[in-house]
Amino acid sequence: MPKKAAKGGGAKGGGAKGGKKDGGGDDSKSKDKKGGSSTVKVRHILCEKHGKSMEAMEKLKAGVKFNEVAAQYSEDKARSGGDLGWMIRGSMVGPFQDAAFALPISSLGNPHYTDPAVKTKFGYHIIMVEGKK
């Protein structure tokens, strides 16, 4: 008999755990982190000057593909379409990381990117996320 009660208690406990997860998901920023993602597949456009990042942003808003704008405007190795690959949480500078994990997953055809650009010690980043693990 106690075993049956333990199983029933376990099921209730499972429900309580689910409730805690839902409670933690109330924060809109943690919604994307629901699966506990610790890596993101990220693209960015890095510009040293704010004015240049604004030019890049205008191109994006005009419908030019993210990778094409990155090849033209980015001032780092991301010139290859802005692709930085998979980045681990903790390997990015603070503001960049915060923005990357807050963004929804998107694609080159339908990009969701940071607007305005994120300022770090390296310059101004327009960030786009293509995947999360």
Side-chain angles (χ1 to χ4, degrees):
M1 294 297 244
K3 287 184 182 178
K4 287 181 184 177
K7 283 183 183 177
K12 288 179 186 172
K17 285 182 183 175
K20 288 179 184 174
K21 284 182 184 174
D22 291 343
D26 287 344
D27 181 9
S28 62
K29 286 185 180 179
S30 65
K31 189 175 183 182
D32 290 340
K33 298 176 190 177
K34 206 174 198 178
S37 59
S38 60
T39 55
V40 287
K41 187 172 192 301
V42 67
R43 286 183 184 266
H44 82 151
I45 300 166
L46 172 63
C47 302
E48 188 178 325
K49 303 288 183 192
H50 185 258
K52 190 169 182 180
S53 72
M54 294 304 293
E55 286 178 38
M57 188 72 74
E58 289 304 315
K59 292 279 189 183
L60 290 170
K61 289 178 180 178
V64 181
K65 288 193 174 183
F66 195 95
N67 58 330
E68 293 171 9
V69 177
Q72 185 178 355
Y73 285 89
S74 198
E75 299 171 355
D76 72 340
K77 70 176 187 168
R79 284 187 173 267
S80 59
D83 192 3
L84 295 176
W86 289 96
M87 303 283 285
I88 300 169
R89 187 185 296 273
S91 68
M92 300 165 266
V93 291
F96 185 100
Q97 177 172 285
D98 293 344
F101 281 98
L103 281 168
I105 296 170
S106 62
S107 65
L108 290 173
N110 186 21
H112 293 275
Y113 46 83
T114 53
D115 184 2
V118 176
K119 183 168 181 6
T120 70
K121 63 183 180 181
F122 301 107
Y124 296 86
H125 306 260
I126 302 170
I127 307 165
M128 179 188 132
V129 173
E130 293 185 295
K132 293 185 181 186
K133 290 186 197 175

